[in-house]
Amino acid sequence: MQNSTMNLNLQAYTTILKKIINTTYTPGQKISEKELIAKLKIGRTPVREALLRLRQEQLIDAIPQSGTYITKIDLKVAASARFIRESIETRVIKEAAATNDEFAIAKLNTIIANQKFFSQKKQFEKFFAEDEAFHQEFYQMTGRQQVWDWLQTINMQLNRFRMLRLKVEELPWDNLITEHMNILNAVKNHEPEEARRLIANHLHLMLDEEDTLIKTFPDYFTNIPTDKKQVL
């Protein structure tokens, strides 16, 4: 009975979280506990527990006498997460470039092939999943899976930003694929410094593309840097 309850709680949480990350529930959107229960076909208690957890993670906000809302994407938190990830991943990629893991290289080639396919089909959720799988593989190659798991707990605002980026037509997906191919080649050719440089540039994209996303979705963000507010 206890396991069943825990499974329902996790199911409710995972489903709502996914809809927030992929922006099915848009930043600032009002949501209703009653509607969630009806749509998810899960009882009131699991949904309530999920909403409580998401509130603790600052993905939803309950405003008294107003309702429950999806929080806007906090650019300050997203930028901090990007900084932490870059600091860690540049070291991970150097370690990966020193390995000889042919099975991992084959997996990475498959991931890039999948990205090309999903790019052509404009299936942004599947493309994003493969993007995550690409980066995660380097952590697995170097025995750093636990570090990757920890990063996911602080990456939520960053992932919302990255997912939203895929919806902007002027920011082509092909650029991401090309960068992944270059990173993989550096790892495969055992060029740690080149791999580090490429991954740093790749993870710097958020800063390079921030203005475009703010212009495209002006109502989706909070804690916009002062020098960026003028673009609104």
Side-chain angles (χ1 to χ4, degrees), residues 89-223:
E89 201 155 318
T90 48
R91 294 185 63 180
V92 169
I93 204 73
K94 287 180 68 175
E95 291 182 10
T99 67
N100 290 289
D101 192 334
E102 294 183 3
F103 180 70
I105 296 299
K107 284 177 65 177
L108 287 160
N109 278 316
T110 299
I111 289 169
I112 289 175
N114 290 341
Q115 282 194 295
K116 290 178 180 178
F117 176 80
F118 293 133
S119 175
Q120 293 171 353
K121 299 295 182 180
K122 293 297 179 185
Q123 295 180 347
F124 72 94
E125 287 185 43
K126 292 181 178 180
F127 182 93
F128 182 81
E130 294 295 334
D131 188 291
E132 286 286 271
F134 179 84
H135 289 271
Q136 182 181 6
E137 186 60 33
F138 295 116
Y139 290 77
Q140 292 179 341
M141 284 175 70
T142 55
R144 306 289 187 185
Q145 177 63 43
Q146 189 174 18
V147 176
W148 173 265
D149 294 340
W150 174 77
L151 282 174
Q152 302 319 297
T153 66
I154 64 170
N155 270 351
M156 292 179 182
Q157 298 293 349
L158 175 60
N159 284 344
R160 294 175 75 192
F161 181 96
R162 292 172 56 222
M163 180 68 83
L164 198 60
R165 180 249 186 241
L166 297 178
K167 296 187 176 184
V168 180
E169 288 188 9
E170 60 192 275
L171 297 175
W173 300 6
D174 289 349
N175 291 354
L176 300 177
I177 296 172
T178 299
E179 291 191 3
H180 281 181
M181 291 171 65
N182 292 337
I183 292 166
L184 176 55
N185 283 335
V187 170
K188 186 167 56 176
N189 295 330
H190 306 298
E191 299 171 339
E193 287 302 325
E194 177 66 1
R196 184 206 61 78
R197 183 188 70 81
L198 289 169
I199 203 74
N201 289 343
H202 182 63
L203 295 175
H204 202 268
L205 278 177
M206 174 190 168
L207 302 179
D208 298 335
E209 299 172 345
E210 197 173 74
D211 285 350
T212 301
L213 262 73
I214 294 171
K215 288 177 183 177
T216 307
F217 305 103
D219 299 323
Y220 282 10
F221 301 98
T222 188
N223 279 333

Side-chain angles (χ1 to χ4, degrees), residues 13-28:
Y13 168 78
T14 303
T15 302
I16 300 170
L17 174 63
K18 183 178 179 181
K19 290 180 181 296
I20 294 173
I21 297 296
N22 69 20
T23 67
T24 298
Y25 295 152
T26 58

